[in-house]
Amino acid sequence: MNLFRRQGNLKILVILFAATLLLYFPILKNPSILLNRGNDLQEYYWPVAYFTKTHILTDHKLPFWNNMFFSGTPFLSDPQSMLFYPPNIIFIILPTNFAFIFWFIFHSLLGGIGAYIAARKGFDFSRIASVFTALFYITFPRTLGFAEAGHITLSASIAWLPFILLARIWLARKPNFYWLVLWAFCLTMLFFLF
């Protein structure tokens, strides 16, 4: 019985991953669709990610000052730098262009998983209804609009909302420390994004 549940969850994860890859297939095939639009991604976030990566890899410390814009601006205290957002490690590990594509795919999949869990465990939907909820969440037009405009912080914040909703539902039903930690963690991720 337990093995069947795990296999069922693995199938659902594969479905959500395949749907996410299908959604981003045009971008995977031609990355310039996303990366060369003259939007906020290209004009602001790409230089910031590149600056952070080169500064950390060459100076081996966090950048305090960004000398790439104007005569320089504070960087460590700039909320748009997303310096303390944990998934930003991909910008240090991966090439910058691929890291941005991975960023959108990862956060879309994370939001879909969160929507599935929130629908299944929070609202007690059936498994099929929960899968459809997750698929609708992955293909949510606003998320793709944020990607098109290059608003990476907004596209990432949508990924955390189902987990916040789930934790809030369970805190109202049966308060315990686990749900409080999940709620606080997800709110912290939103804080680090802005």
Side-chain angles (χ1 to χ4, degrees), residues 16-34:
L16 297 181
F17 183 68
T20 306
L21 286 181
L22 184 63
L23 180 68
Y24 286 98
F25 180 73
I27 293 170
L28 290 169
K29 188 175 177 185
N30 183 9
S32 66
I33 294 172
L34 177 69

Side-chain angles (χ1 to χ4, degrees), residues 46-121:
W46 198 98
V48 164
Y50 185 77
F51 171 76
T52 304
K53 178 179 185 170
T54 56
H55 193 78
I56 289 174
L57 292 179
T58 57
D59 296 341
H60 307 292
K61 60 183 178 180
L62 294 176
F64 292 108
W65 189 260
N66 182 354
N67 57 3
M68 292 181 61
F69 295 112
F70 308 118
S71 295
T73 59
F75 191 72
L76 190 64
S77 62
D78 181 10
Q80 290 276 332
S81 70
M82 302 177 303
L83 202 54
F84 298 108
Y85 182 60
N88 277 351
I89 193 77
I90 65 168
F91 291 109
I92 296 171
I93 298 170
L94 300 173
T96 307
N97 285 345
F98 184 72
F100 277 110
I101 295 169
F102 182 81
W103 170 280
F104 286 109
I105 292 172
F106 168 76
H107 284 95
S108 292
L109 180 62
L110 181 66
I113 291 169
Y116 174 80
I117 295 170
R120 188 84 173 122
K121 302 295 183 188

